[in-house]
Amino acid sequence: MSRRSFQVLPGFNLTLGYTLLYLSIIVLIPLSAVFIKTASLGLAQFWDVVTTPRVLASYRLSFGASLLAAAINAVFGLALAWALVRYSFPGKKLVDALIDLPFALPTAVAGIALTALYAPNGWLGSALEPLGIKVAFTPLGVLVALVFIGLPFVVRTVQPILEDLDTELEEAAASLGARRWQTFRYVTLPILLPALLTGFALAFARAVGEYGSVIFIAGNIPMVSEITPLMIITKLEQYDYAGATAIAVVMLLFSFVLLLAINGLQAWTEKATGRNR
């Protein structure tokens, strides 16, 4: 007679039921309400709402800036995680703590601080203005804000993998005559790539829905620096709830497709490198 393994949590049925209930309350019911409210619009009216030139411009800015910000964070987040893991330097602990600042800082405070820095009369903006570079109240300002709030996701995702990475693999490659770039390209990067893609996806997901840190530095100029979350807020302030949920549904579908593609690429990468074994 086999002994039953000890289980810390309650039985499967109770645990699964609680999980589904919690997931429904937090995720499924709110998302269903969005689709139900959108269904009050006819198909033609829905299409008219989500394809107006002003809304389309906000899609291009929100998704384009989010993808670019996530790509920038993937590169510099990897470099920053590498420096924190592989090197010792004065102020290392302070830099490591500052990485988490966007997590703790209220987004509105971050937006105000970035605007103060990059405004034409700000510390950085006044230096960039003579060069013809305008950051505040432009799409570039949106990009800066999205890079700021997304960087910790990449660093904190890649950092543990780097800490667990056996440097003997790199030393073996070097002893066989591989150059530094070849060692990184063929030995280190394949191991880090799944985590890097995860950080990219998290940074992108955060950037798409970001509102507080963007509206101050964006300037919210129609057809220029309006983000899609702001369009949703504008619809809500006009009591156009169906229109707001229609735009939200488009954002949800686009985000889901992009995140699904990124997760598929991540799974393929893990399979190709044999890390799923």
Side-chain angles (χ1 to χ4, degrees):
M1 185 175 181
S2 59
R3 293 181 58 188
R4 296 180 60 185
S5 59
F6 175 74
Q7 299 290 340
V8 176
L9 295 177
F12 173 76
N13 293 333
L14 179 60
T15 305
L16 179 62
Y18 175 79
T19 302
L20 293 177
L21 177 62
Y22 185 82
L23 181 64
S24 298
I25 294 174
I26 301 299
V27 179
L28 298 181
I29 293 177
L31 290 181
S32 299
V34 171
F35 283 94
I36 292 172
K37 190 65 179 180
T38 304
S40 63
L41 296 173
L43 184 59
Q45 191 176 2
F46 171 82
W47 184 257
D48 289 340
V49 170
V50 301
T51 58
T52 60
R54 188 173 173 182
V55 174
L56 290 177
S58 74
Y59 294 152
R60 288 190 293 267
L61 178 59
S62 290
F63 287 100
S66 297
L67 283 172
L68 183 56
I72 293 172
N73 281 328
V75 175
F76 291 98
L78 173 61
L80 185 53
W82 187 282
L84 289 173
V85 173
R86 294 298 178 88
Y87 302 105
S88 296
F89 52 89
K92 178 180 177 179
K93 292 184 177 180
L94 177 62
V95 173
D96 191 41
L98 287 176
I99 291 174
D100 294 327
L101 184 62
F103 287 150
L105 196 66
T107 56
V109 175
I112 294 172
L114 291 173
T115 305
L117 284 174
Y118 287 100
N121 59 346
W123 290 352
L124 298 178
S126 59
L128 295 174
E129 188 77 14
L131 303 176
I133 302 175
K134 295 182 179 180
V135 178
F137 317 126
T138 67
L140 182 57
V142 176
L143 179 64
V144 170
L146 296 183
V147 169
F148 174 79
I149 57 98
L151 181 63
F153 291 95
V154 178
V155 176
R156 294 312 185 203
T157 305
V158 175
Q159 193 174 2
I161 307 301
L162 268 174
E163 290 173 349
D164 294 337
L165 182 62
D166 193 351
T167 56
E168 292 181 358
L169 296 174
E170 299 171 2
E171 294 171 356
S175 67
L176 294 174
R179 298 180 179 179
R180 290 185 178 183
W181 171 249
Q182 290 175 321
T183 301
F184 176 77
R185 168 66 178 82
Y186 295 105
V187 177
T188 308
L189 185 58
I191 299 175
L192 296 178
L193 193 55
L196 190 61
L197 289 173
T198 300
F200 176 89
L202 292 173
F204 168 75
R206 170 68 188 274
V208 167
E210 181 61 21
Y211 177 75
S213 63
V214 176
I215 56 171
F216 293 101
I217 196 171
N220 309 320
I221 303 172
M223 305 291 295
V224 176
S225 58
E226 271 189 332
I227 57 174
T228 306
L230 178 61
M231 295 299 302
I232 296 175
I233 296 297
T234 301
K235 293 285 186 182
L236 292 175
E237 291 176 346
Q238 296 171 351
Y239 301 100
D240 184 7
Y241 300 118
T245 55
I247 299 174
V249 164
V250 173
M251 283 197 71
L252 177 64
L253 294 178
F254 269 119
S255 300
F256 179 78
V257 170
L258 287 172
L259 290 176
L260 186 63
I262 294 170
N263 289 334
L265 180 60
Q266 180 186 0
W268 176 83
T269 303
E270 290 180 346
K271 183 178 180 181
T273 56
R275 295 201 67 205
N276 60 333
R277 296 176 183 177

